[in-house]
Amino acid sequence: MPLPFLTADRAFEAGADDIALPYDDHDQWRRPYRPGPYRVGAAALLLLLASFVLLSAMIIAFAAEVTGALIVLGVGAVVIACALRILRLGVWVSRAGLRRVGFFSTVTVPWNQTSNVRTVQQPVRWLGLPRTVQGQALVMERQGGSPLPPLLTDHNADFLSRVEAFDRAADTIEAWGDEYRQQ
């Protein structure tokens, strides 16, 4: 029995095929892949922890201990900020260049300052921990600059056990580099 509402796999209008989609704007920073399940799971656990911390702040406030409630409220806000930052980690691309967003720092490199973006076989860190395993990494070589850590690896929180997603993301970023480095 067909349902009358529209689903994500049906077009809203028959003539909408020739209209540019909003995400086709190459001037906007965007991540060319979806966050992986480990990254989303870690952020969800942090948000769950933040809800308990905020609930405890409310209980402390009702107990007329205002300074303690404000301290716990601040801790809750820091936990929420950490969860949001975890979701923001990764590689972002635009016409302007490539941006590697880390937890504490962000590095933006214009395309004209890159010499090569390629996938290599090398020891990579497993989920960002000190343990290394043999895997694939997407690396960017700067022209006359300091080398960046690997942009993506097939063993990080976005691509662990998702080899096809890593290949698609690496190919997409390499294609962006080939297209905009020559302009």
Side-chain angles (χ1 to χ4, degrees):
M1 170 177 111
L3 299 174
F5 58 87
L6 295 175
T7 59
D9 57 345
R10 279 184 34 195
F12 289 103
E13 298 176 10
D17 294 334
D18 57 349
I19 298 173
L21 297 172
Y23 57 82
D24 283 342
D25 184 12
H26 286 216
D27 292 327
Q28 297 288 325
W29 289 101
R30 61 178 155 162
R31 186 184 349 216
Y33 57 91
R34 292 184 178 168
Y38 293 98
R39 185 175 310 284
V40 173
L45 286 175
L46 280 176
L47 290 174
L48 182 66
L49 175 67
S51 70
F52 289 121
V53 170
L54 294 175
L55 181 66
S56 66
M58 184 182 70
I59 292 171
I60 293 170
F62 284 148
E65 191 64 39
V66 178
T67 54
L70 289 176
I71 291 171
V72 174
L73 183 68
V75 169
V78 167
V79 171
I80 291 172
C82 288
L84 294 177
R85 189 64 181 181
I86 284 175
L87 289 175
R88 191 110 174 109
L89 297 176
V91 175
W92 297 72
V93 292
S94 80
R95 184 172 289 153
L98 186 135
R99 180 174 286 173
R100 184 180 186 278
V101 178
F103 193 78
F104 293 112
S105 66
T106 299
V107 176
T108 303
V109 179
W111 289 117
N112 59 6
Q113 293 181 4
T114 63
S115 61
N116 195 7
V117 179
R118 61 190 170 94
T119 305
V120 296
Q121 287 281 338
Q122 68 181 31
V124 296
R125 298 173 75 181
W126 184 76
L127 287 177
L129 299 172
R131 177 180 173 216
T132 60
V133 295
Q134 189 65 26
Q136 292 184 344
L138 181 70
V139 296
M140 179 185 66
E141 298 170 2
R142 287 196 214 183
Q143 293 176 353
S146 62
L148 283 176
L151 300 173
L152 304 173
T153 67
D154 61 347
H155 286 82
N156 69 5
D158 288 322
F159 301 111
L160 187 64
S161 71
R162 295 176 55 213
V163 177
E164 297 85 17
F166 172 79
D167 291 337
R168 277 193 312 268
D171 291 343
T172 302
I173 294 171
E174 288 174 7
W176 275 72
D178 290 340
E179 180 178 353
Y180 290 113
R181 188 173 41 248
Q182 298 170 358
Q183 290 183 352

